[in-house]
Amino acid sequence: MSESFLLARALLQFDKKADDLLGDISAVARTPDGSLWVASDERLGIERLSSIEPLLFGNHQHYHIGDFIELFDDEIDIEGMDYSEGYLWLVGSHSTKRKKPKGKKEEKDLERLLEVKHERNRYLLARIPVVNGKLLKSYASSDRAEDRLTAACLEKTETENILMEALAKDPHFGKIIASDLPSKENGFDIEGLVVRGNRIFLGLRGPVLRGWAIILELQVEETQPGILTLAAIGEDELPYKKHFLELDGLGVRELCWHGDNLLILAGPTMVLEGAMKIFELQEILECSGNSLCWQESGRLKVLFNLPVATGADRAEGLTLFPHLGKSEGLMVVYDSPHPNRMPNSHKVYADLFRLP
């Protein structure tokens, strides 16, 4: 394992009206035109920043996801984004949450700890076309059907979506999902997303089972306008595969492609301060079924530890970022940024690390 090496910091500059965004950044993606797309786990939109000069991004544009995908009234809790073949993909946490005590009345706080909430927008897996730095509902570069890009989301059910419906019967996930165990209590919680063609990989912050983290693999297809369905790809004709990983007891907090290898941001599953590590996983694209990968296999290794700041700088998003003529830089964005990371109320620094 190498020590983390900070190459530089990039300044992200938002409109003043987006002051509340800085403390809740949960995902980032970079598109081929050099734009950065940033999301918050407390909002219903996506933010675009364009390059002004090296390591400075601004010209903030806000896009409301409801303009492209049908939404409900509650928050999406966006936890992962990726760009692939003309689409910006995003995923919600697919999790439940427990109310927090407020510290005013003990009896009321005890009642709040009993309440577990479901919010339907959290069960969102969607894609939106990106053309010339703009999000569009649809786009056609020619009259051929294969050249048409369309916004779409995974088919919804009355309360969730068809992925959760399938996982509710799974021997590893079923009892956890049925229990309504909240995300921050080792419940079901998606926090990572990468896409390659029609293959989608979802990193789970939880559950971590006996120290083993999990990545779900799906394949989707659009069977009617705006609606994605799941293909049978797993064992026993299931619409998913399960990849179990030895991440030192940590859960998956984000995913990022590095060629055909997968970079994994790993961190604590529950509400804990602790190690944040970058792992690299090889050959996941070659797995024909469910898999279990030990670090001893040589396919999975720790690249470096991220610096830990108690109470701040919780790493949340990853994207590759070329720097000094190289393509090996890894940009990391943070939830709950340290005050030293914010020059003012609408600017925040992201870190750029060298990849070994």
Side-chain angles (χ1 to χ4, degrees), residues 202-253:
L202 302 174
L204 303 187
R205 177 175 179 171
V208 172
L209 303 181
R210 196 58 173 84
W212 288 82
I214 307 166
I215 292 176
L216 289 173
E217 179 182 349
L218 322 172
Q219 286 190 23
V220 297
E221 55 186 355
E222 187 175 15
T223 54
Q224 54 182 299
I227 303 297
L228 302 175
T229 58
L230 297 172
I233 62 167
E235 298 173 2
D236 300 322
E237 296 299 305
L238 290 172
Y240 55 85
K241 301 175 192 174
K242 296 176 286 189
H243 304 292
F244 292 83
L245 307 173
E246 185 190 20
L247 302 183
D248 297 335
L250 302 172
V252 178
R253 304 294 288 269

Side-chain angles (χ1 to χ4, degrees), residues 84-319:
S84 179
E85 299 181 359
Y87 287 109
L88 188 68
W89 288 82
L90 60 123
V91 67
S93 64
H94 288 62
S95 66
T96 61
K97 66 179 184 180
R98 191 181 302 276
K99 284 196 168 184
K100 296 179 181 179
K102 292 186 174 181
K104 295 180 180 178
K105 294 184 179 180
E106 184 175 286
E107 184 177 349
K108 187 66 175 177
D109 281 344
L110 290 173
E111 290 180 5
R112 290 177 67 83
L113 285 172
L114 290 173
E115 186 173 348
V116 174
K117 294 186 64 177
H118 291 255
E119 294 176 342
R120 289 181 292 176
N121 276 343
R122 287 178 170 234
Y123 302 95
L124 182 71
L125 173 61
R127 69 182 193 198
I128 304 174
V130 184
V131 181
N132 297 323
K134 296 181 179 180
L135 297 184
L136 301 173
K137 196 162 187 175
S138 65
Y139 175 78
S141 59
S142 75
D143 293 333
R144 299 187 306 172
E146 57 266 33
D147 292 331
R148 176 172 291 276
L149 303 175
T150 56
C153 66
L154 191 63
E155 183 179 346
K156 301 171 185 175
T157 62
E158 185 175 344
T159 58
E160 298 169 342
N161 64 23
I162 57 174
L163 172 61
M164 297 303 293
E165 189 175 69
L167 291 174
K169 305 170 186 176
D170 184 85
H172 290 108
F173 298 117
K175 290 182 179 179
I176 293 172
I177 291 172
S179 73
D180 275 348
L181 192 64
S183 57
K184 303 302 187 291
E185 299 168 28
N186 203 35
F188 190 87
D189 186 9
I190 297 173
E191 287 216 4
L193 167 71
V194 288
V195 181
R196 180 66 61 90
N198 66 344
R199 298 174 69 178
I200 297 170
F201 296 84
L202 302 174
L204 303 187
R205 177 175 179 171
V208 172
L209 303 181
R210 196 58 173 84
W212 288 82
I214 307 166
I215 292 176
L216 289 173
E217 179 182 349
L218 322 172
Q219 286 190 23
V220 297
E221 55 186 355
E222 187 175 15
T223 54
Q224 54 182 299
I227 303 297
L228 302 175
T229 58
L230 297 172
I233 62 167
E235 298 173 2
D236 300 322
E237 296 299 305
L238 290 172
Y240 55 85
K241 301 175 192 174
K242 296 176 286 189
H243 304 292
F244 292 83
L245 307 173
E246 185 190 20
L247 302 183
D248 297 335
L250 302 172
V252 178
R253 304 294 288 269
E254 185 57 290
L255 301 172
C256 178
W257 289 118
H258 186 213
D260 289 337
N261 294 342
L262 197 55
L263 299 179
I264 303 168
L265 169 62
T269 298
M270 301 178 73
V271 185
L272 298 170
E273 300 287 346
M276 302 289 289
K277 302 183 180 185
I278 302 294
F279 288 80
E280 185 171 47
L281 174 65
Q282 300 175 2
E283 302 175 4
I284 192 168
L285 292 170
E286 300 171 23
C287 292
S288 58
N290 297 336
S291 67
L292 188 148
C293 188
W294 305 78
Q295 292 182 40
E296 292 178 356
S297 70
R299 290 179 48 223
L300 177 66
K301 62 181 180 181
V302 182
L303 294 186
F304 55 86
N305 291 326
L306 289 174
V308 176
T310 303
D313 281 356
R314 299 185 179 98
E316 286 277 341
L318 303 179
T319 191

